[in-house]
Amino acid sequence: MYETVEELAPEAFTKFKGSNTKVVSANVDFYSGFVYKCIDIPQELFTPIFAIARMAGWCAHRLEEVTFSSRRIIRPAYKNVYGIVNYENMDERS
């Protein structure tokens, strides 16, 4: 069922919007309810888990919006303050 919905959704959105300039496809959230159900998380916790996972991003978005007085939708800036770290394979990590 999930594969069918994922396959048919872009066409349905194109028909609904009347344009095919932007392809809409499923993201990870499309599958999260299915995964939560598989690991026996109660359905009433699905939305709170979704929200908790996004709180840092939402807060950063709002802080940037207030700081720069923007009236348009923006994406929060990201600045790495940790520095460059070389990749180590899992079995080589301490």
Side-chain angles (χ1 to χ4, degrees), residues 24-80:
V24 177
S25 55
N27 61 19
V28 70
D29 296 317
F30 178 73
Y31 302 99
S32 60
F34 174 72
V35 173
Y36 296 159
K37 187 174 182 177
C38 287
I39 58 176
D40 293 326
I41 292 178
Q43 189 171 354
E44 59 270 12
L45 294 179
F46 290 9
T47 301
I49 291 170
F50 176 91
I52 289 167
R54 284 154 184 78
M55 286 301 297
W58 290 339
C59 290
H61 178 103
R62 183 62 182 143
L63 287 171
E64 195 165 89
E65 197 175 56
V66 169
T67 302
F68 297 108
S69 301
S70 177
R71 293 189 182 270
R72 61 184 178 87
I73 295 175
I74 57 173
R75 297 192 186 278
Y78 171 78
K79 181 179 179 183
N80 181 5

Side-chain angles (χ1 to χ4, degrees), residues 13-29:
F13 278 108
T14 298
K15 282 183 180 177
F16 179 76
K17 291 285 192 176
S19 170
N20 63 354
T21 58
K22 183 177 179 183
V23 176
V24 177
S25 55
N27 61 19
V28 70
D29 296 317

Side-chain angles (χ1 to χ4, degrees), residues 1-19:
M1 182 175 79
Y2 284 91
E3 289 174 358
T4 303
V5 169
E6 186 175 9
E7 183 180 319
L8 298 175
E11 183 181 338
F13 278 108
T14 298
K15 282 183 180 177
F16 179 76
K17 291 285 192 176
S19 170

